[in-house]
Amino acid sequence: MKPFAYERATAPEAAATRVTDTADAMYLAGGTNLVDLMKLGVAEPTLLVDITGLPYDSIEHRADGSVLIGSLVSNSVLSGDRGIRRRFPAVAEAVLAGASGQLRTRATTGGNLLQRTRCVYFQDVTKACNKREPGSGCSALEGSHRDLAVLGTSDACVATHPSDMAVPMAALDAVVHLRRAGGDTRSVPLTDFYLLPGDTPERETVLEAGELITGVELPPPPAGAAMCYRKVRDRWSYAFALVSVAAVAATGPDGTLSEIRLALGGVAPLPWRARRAEEQLAGRRPTEEALRSAARAEFASARPLPRNAFKIDLAVDLITATVLELVGGEGR
Ligand SMILES: Cc1cc2nc3c(=O)[nH]c(=O)nc-3n(C[C@H](O)[C@H](O)[C@H](O)COP(=O)(O)OP(=O)(O)OC[C@H]3O[C@@H](n4cnc5c(N)ncnc54)[C@H](O)[C@@H]3O)c2cc1C
Ligand code: SF4
């Protein structure tokens, strides 16, 4: 590991100024991803600014039904929060489906959203990887890509985004709150926060240098809707998603879908909001046939590689089963 300096920030402005003004400085939250990448030589910060002492560690449930989750709220606190479990159960389920108890105690909300891909070539500095070293090539195209993306990919990169929590947050129209040095703030919908790889896979989000995530806001959940998160993985625990889905759904008195929101994990470089499927299902009866057809339409633009095409059928099955589970199979 390369030598680096360490500082503990006590105020947001001091932290943001230090990271903005110091070349190759990075924020350190729980460190469960960043420190691993430093050990592997993938991340080589000159300075780590520890932000765990900043005042972003609370969950604020508001009277209008929205909630503001501080960026330093740990994954354990988030998944155990009563209001989250009761009103945003898909978020709690997604967090609990990730990592391990020990890791979740340390890992934070902001860090989870910014964790890097688990593509094995990204983590191996001896291999070509456009995301780690722009212009070097993509070893996954001809190599191990079974776990990688089928939607939103480019010739430069086919990595997936690994976060579970980001998937229900995308379905719930979450908004990410940001702060720059100098005190300017801005808010970005989570679905606009992440970037597709295109020719610049090294750029994964709209974050500017030194910008700090201060929190994530979830608007009030749609009235009367049920929601859940389902994750398919190789092992029951301690494994990233092959495919996952967050679904939010409600049916009206006539049995048609009055609300349907879907987001997918494990299939794209970002938490993938399945808008095409949503459009096809809105106002329809949630029959198995309608769900399968809509799910398949979502993958019309997929570009599978030889060893990850199975993800499409898996996702179609998972979307169908999850929505039927949520709305009680009404209309079948
Ligand atoms: C063995 C293992 C299994 C795992 N399994 C899963 C899984 O199944 N699902 C899943 O979702 N995750 C999984 N994880 C990932 C884990 O959840 C993340 O490592 C964790 O959420 C990252 O949070 P952190 O606070 O430790 O981030 P850090 O490692 O401290 O930071 C990550 C990145 O975010 C930046 N950063 C952190 N906070 C902020 C902020 N507020 N503003 C701006 N930048 C910031 C840092 O500079 C760094 O670049 C796993 C991790 C491990 C080690
Ligand atoms: S898929 Fe992306 S992260 Fe993986 S080797 Fe290719 S460029 Fe690197």
Side-chain angles (χ1 to χ4, degrees), residues 17-229:
T17 305
R18 274 305 270 156
V19 172
T20 305
D21 293 350
T22 311
D24 299 324
M26 293 181 82
Y27 294 117
L28 177 71
T32 61
N33 186 224
L34 179 55
V35 174
D36 279 357
L37 293 176
M38 289 169 66
K39 289 181 195 160
L40 293 167
V42 174
E44 296 188 321
T46 54
L47 167 67
L48 286 185
V49 176
D50 183 337
I51 54 173
T52 52
L54 299 187
Y56 303 129
D57 60 350
S58 61
I59 300 176
E60 183 189 335
H61 291 279
R62 293 155 165 173
D64 67 356
S66 64
V67 62
L68 179 63
I69 303 162
S71 60
L72 292 166
V73 170
S74 75
N75 290 187
S76 306
V77 168
L78 182 61
S79 59
D81 182 86
R82 277 195 196 174
I84 295 289
R85 293 173 82 97
R86 202 176 64 244
R87 292 190 308 108
F88 303 96
V91 174
E93 288 168 1
V95 175
L96 288 173
S100 65
Q102 275 175 318
L103 283 162
R104 291 194 297 267
T105 302
R106 190 82 209 139
T108 64
T109 302
N112 187 285
L113 297 183
L114 292 176
Q115 63 176 299
R116 309 296 302 275
T117 183
R118 293 334 249 208
C119 173
V120 292
Y121 306 108
F122 176 74
Q123 296 179 325
D124 180 347
V125 293
T126 67
K127 300 290 190 303
C129 170
N130 287 322
K131 188 184 278 298
R132 182 171 30 75
E133 199 180 327
S136 62
C138 172
S139 302
L141 293 176
E142 303 274 315
S144 173
H145 53 242
R146 172 183 175 270
D147 295 345
L148 301 185
V150 295
L151 285 170
T153 59
S154 70
D155 291 342
C157 182
V158 294
T160 45
H161 193 275
S163 168
D164 284 297
M165 139 191 339
V167 179
M169 286 181 172
L172 288 163
D173 291 335
V175 175
V176 185
H177 292 294
L178 306 173
R179 182 196 196 282
R180 292 191 186 99
D184 285 352
T185 59
R186 62 179 177 137
S187 303
V188 182
L190 186 92
T191 47
D192 297 336
F193 179 70
Y194 294 103
L195 302 171
L196 288 173
D199 295 331
T200 53
E202 71 280 10
R203 257 210 99 207
E204 296 177 349
T205 69
V206 299
L207 267 187
E208 288 167 13
E211 221 169 4
L212 188 61
I213 300 182
T214 58
V216 179
E217 185 175 341
L218 301 179
M227 68 176 81
C228 70
Y229 181 72

